[in-house]
Amino acid sequence: MKRDSIVSLVLLAGIVSLYLSLGMMDDPQAVTFPRIIIIIMGILAALLLFQSVVFKQKNGSQGAGFPFGRFLICFFMIIVYFFLMEGIGFYLSAFLFFIAVTFILGIKDLTWRTATFRTVIAFVFTGILFLLGGFLSAPVPPHLSAGPRLVDDDDRLAHVFLISCQHGYDAGLKVRGPAR
Amino acid sequence: MAEFLHYFPLALSFTNLLTLILGVIGGLILGATPGLSPTMAVALLVPFTFHMDPATGLILLGAVYTATVAGGAISAILINIPGAPANIATLLDGHPMAQQGKSQTALYYCFISSLVGGLIGMVIMILFTPPLARLALKFGPSEMFWIALFGISVMAGLSSGSILKGLLGGMFGLLISTIGYSPLLGSPRFVFHDVLTGGVAIVPALIGLFAIPQVFALVETLGLKLERPDFKPEKGVLFKTIADNLRMVKSLSIGSIVGSIIGIIPGAGGQVAGLIAYDQAKKFSKKPESFGTGNPEGVVAAESANNAMVGPSLIPLLTLSIPGSPTAAVLLGGLLIHGLFPGPDLFINHAEVTYTFIASLVLAQIAMCVFGIILSRYSYMVMSVPNLFMIAAVTVLAVYGTYSVQNSFDDVIVMFTLGTLMYIGRKFGFSPAPVVLGIILGPIAEDNYLKGKLIADTDVGVFSYFFTGSMNIIIILLCVASIGYSVYGEIRAYRKAKEAAV
């Protein structure tokens, strides 16, 4: 089966389940716009399926030679980095992640010389980030001495409020007069 | 023009000028680095501007945008890999010049013609943007709704090989933008997990969709050997190159005019501008056979075109929120996180920020040429940075930028999830640009749809409100034309491929 046919079938399955989930939402008025988008997506996915069946395409060789092992290693290193960041803070975890990536993914040419060089680069890079963070007063996950991150209901409410404010901006909620 | 001159000195303040110079130098380096796209570079920088004064933040983004387009020519000339799609035409003659030992001359041609084209493009932008913004004043909810859809349809047609996949990407972006609480009714939608309570903010989406797939793409290319940079320092060629370059009036004019026109067309982008300008310069040349063998006129036409496109590509962005290129779409995200909404409001209520930003873009063109020429001697060093360091650095910067905007670890999870999905999507021919535009324009489309529906229900009915009126019809026809053109292009490509197979 061709790649596009598989993609469109997967998409159609996802679209149908999303459409069904609309029925579980509280306010039918609030889902009018998402409903229209999901219907249009359904039509587009069906057209993609039709196109892939009617117009014969050559199967690409995109899957050939894909370094799956390397990809998985990188993926899991990023996941571990996220967990570490919450525990030991941003700068230390960034430094360890930098070293882990350059050592593990570049293990083929790892010598004392390259190892020292990579460690120095990791140190310099983290140092620059530290200075930049101080200069911009940008918040980062706190370090170990600051203790674990505590999120109570008030924090979460404040967070939701802030995001809602940003969405207000994004939507450009300004009073615009009708055209006619 | 009077406003532009009035606010111009603000761009010359110490902080703004320093930010601009750092942005240009950083942009040139990022543009020259193979494997780092300009769009990703600007996306990674957006959160850093969040903690800056809006004008200074936008100056940084504008400077990086301008410089990455020119910086992309460095890798095109030296190692035959365009730093950005806009530089594809540059390598056709730029790399042969480097192979002939004229790499420094080729780089000088590139930066000088980029400056000429860039300045012409900026003049067009300054002249056309305010009148178009005034036209946008006449737009009501229905027109704004269609404008948002037009932006998505244009980006869908030009950013990926298949219009259907582009439109699906755009619709997916629109759907993502509806996650969280409804802006007018306040009810939750698609909040399947606590992480999604606040919806998907622009910055995690921008960074995730552009940076994470790039990280995985770099992992794929680990171990591949790139061509060694063809760089041989040449002495005393600068002034001769400037004189020769300015004598190439025909190529400079073709490049600048083509770039400016293509730039105004939403979604067309620098790649199209560079290739068309190169083709026209070849057709008008007395020695067309010399193109492709290291003719400097090819470099001049391509580079003046792709930088001439920068200014005009911001016209539809600043007036109608329709970006002229994927990088401009990211720039739109940068405007929105500062609470700046494209359209007449930008030129009336935020005139100081807007005109300072526009003035800085003019200065960025000059700084790009000056620092490009200075750095060109050392540019080959950038090509030697191993991908390993890029993978680590881009990931850390992506996390840093995402977390710092809202102090939220949830955003980091959203960023990585979207990025991983996009990486898989890219394998199946989907492009991140329409998705990003859908997320950015989604709230505008929904807000105006709901407002329009409220008006229509009390007035002429939904169909009449959204589908009649001259402006509505013009924008709907533009949407249809944009999709129709893409479909026509695909059918033509399919027939050609079929004929070639026979």
Side-chain angles (χ1 to χ4, degrees), chain B residues 113-131:
Chain B
S113 44
S114 289
L115 170 66
V116 175
L119 287 179
I120 291 172
M122 288 312 301
V123 170
I124 289 173
M125 179 198 175
I126 292 161
L127 293 177
F128 283 91
T129 309

Side-chain angles (χ1 to χ4, degrees), chain B residues 70-359:
Chain B
I74 298 174
S75 59
I77 290 169
L78 298 186
I79 57 169
N80 209 22
I81 295 174
N87 307 107
I88 288 173
T90 311
L91 63 81
L92 298 174
D93 276 295
H95 190 60
M97 280 183 81
Q99 286 173 321
Q100 292 159 18
K102 295 183 212 162
S103 46
Q104 201 159 0
T105 307
L107 289 171
Y108 287 164
Y109 274 123
C110 151
F111 292 119
I112 296 161
S113 44
S114 289
L115 170 66
V116 175
L119 287 179
I120 291 172
M122 288 312 301
V123 170
I124 289 173
M125 179 198 175
I126 292 161
L127 293 177
F128 283 91
T129 309
L132 204 62
R134 279 195 286 277
L135 175 74
L137 259 181
K138 294 177 183 163
F139 291 174
S142 61
E143 287 85 358
M144 286 309 294
F145 169 76
W146 286 117
I147 283 285
L149 291 195
F150 175 55
I152 293 166
S153 69
V154 164
M155 195 59 85
L158 289 150
S159 57
S160 61
S162 154
I163 178 71
L164 280 175
K165 288 179 183 172
L167 287 172
L168 270 165
M171 290 297 139
F172 180 60
L174 282 178
L175 198 63
I176 290 176
S177 76
T178 65
I179 294 173
Y181 286 86
S182 160
L184 288 188
L185 303 158
S187 317
R189 298 172 304 185
F190 305 118
V191 184
F192 302 121
H193 190 275
D194 278 355
V195 168
L196 297 172
T197 312
V200 175
I202 291 172
V203 171
L206 280 180
I207 295 182
L209 291 168
F210 284 112
I212 298 301
Q214 197 90 44
V215 166
F216 290 138
L218 286 170
V219 172
E220 276 184 52
T221 58
L222 274 178
L224 290 181
K225 290 235 181 297
L226 291 178
E227 194 175 326
R228 282 179 68 82
D230 280 307
F231 187 85
K232 291 186 187 90
E234 298 168 77
K235 279 186 180 169
V237 291
L238 177 61
F239 292 106
K240 185 181 174 301
T241 312
I242 293 174
D244 287 348
N245 200 338
L246 296 178
R247 272 198 286 270
M248 295 178 189
V249 181
K250 204 186 338 175
S251 296
L252 276 174
S253 313
I254 290 172
S256 305
I257 293 168
V258 168
S260 300
I261 295 170
I262 298 283
I264 298 174
I265 302 169
Q271 180 186 344
V272 182
L275 286 169
I276 292 178
Y278 182 86
D279 184 52
Q280 290 305 311
K282 188 177 173 181
K283 278 180 184 153
F284 280 98
S285 171
K286 285 176 187 163
K287 293 179 188 168
E289 70 283 355
S290 65
F291 276 69
T293 60
N295 187 340
E297 298 218 17
V299 177
V300 169
E303 278 304 308
S304 53
N306 66 31
N307 256 57
M309 177 275 310
V310 169
S313 76
L314 297 177
I315 298 175
L317 172 78
L318 295 175
T319 54
L320 304 168
S321 35
I322 300 171
S325 63
T327 319
V330 177
L331 211 58
L332 175 59
L335 282 171
L336 292 176
I337 66 162
H338 284 288
L340 302 169
F341 186 78
D345 180 62
L346 208 57
F347 293 86
I348 298 166
N349 296 326
H350 302 285
E352 189 179 317
V353 175
T354 309
Y355 284 107
T356 308
F357 169 58
I358 292 174

